[in-house]
Amino acid sequence: MNIKSLTLKIDQNIEDDDVLGSSTPSDFLNKQFVIEGALEALWQNESDYKTAALATTAKAMRLDLKNTDVTIGTAANPEVRIDLAKVIFKEITRAVKVNDLVRQTLSFKAHYSISDALMVSVLVTNAVASY
């Protein structure tokens, strides 16, 4: 489904392990990794997002940003593809304006999927071979 806007927040949630007698941290500690966001889409019917939001059913989500106007090599296009293995929609809002399109906004949170053994995977296709 096409979306109108997207906000995606990836928080590594890293904390410095500061110790006495040192001006630099002795380590960096990982806390809970969090991926949250919100998307806006046109309201088309009850089953596009509302049903999933009310049921709190986990869904896989792919965010694919591809520039089809540019070709890399013979057939590739610049692309960023983010796959979230398990997403739960948390809330849905729908602004209704007279004589206007109805837009819905949904917030979501990604969770780790035990069956897929991952939370997120990212594929970037660009003209840079390596760093």
Side-chain angles (χ1 to χ4, degrees), residues 7-107:
T7 303
L8 187 66
K9 179 183 173 192
I10 301 174
D11 188 0
Q12 296 178 7
N13 219 354
I14 296 175
E15 184 177 311
D16 298 349
D17 185 14
D18 296 320
V19 295
L20 291 175
S22 177
S23 61
T24 59
S26 67
D27 200 358
F28 297 99
L29 306 173
N30 292 318
K31 295 176 7 180
Q32 184 179 11
F33 187 79
V34 177
I35 300 175
E36 293 180 309
L39 64 87
E40 181 184 64
L42 291 178
W43 176 270
Q44 295 176 1
N45 56 52
E46 294 284 323
S47 64
D48 52 4
Y49 288 109
K50 182 181 176 184
T51 304
L54 292 176
T56 63
T57 304
K59 301 278 186 184
M61 177 186 274
R62 172 171 283 172
L63 305 169
D64 198 5
L65 308 168
K66 184 184 280 193
N67 184 352
T68 56
D69 293 336
V70 175
T71 303
I72 301 172
T74 58
N77 302 105
E79 177 181 17
V80 175
R81 185 175 72 208
I82 302 170
D83 289 330
L84 302 171
K86 190 175 178 182
V87 171
I88 296 178
F89 294 109
K90 296 191 295 185
E91 62 182 63
I92 182 170
T93 59
R94 188 174 52 176
V96 179
K97 298 177 184 174
V98 177
N99 296 326
D100 200 2
L101 298 173
V102 178
R103 297 175 186 260
Q104 58 187 334
T105 303
L106 294 101
S107 62

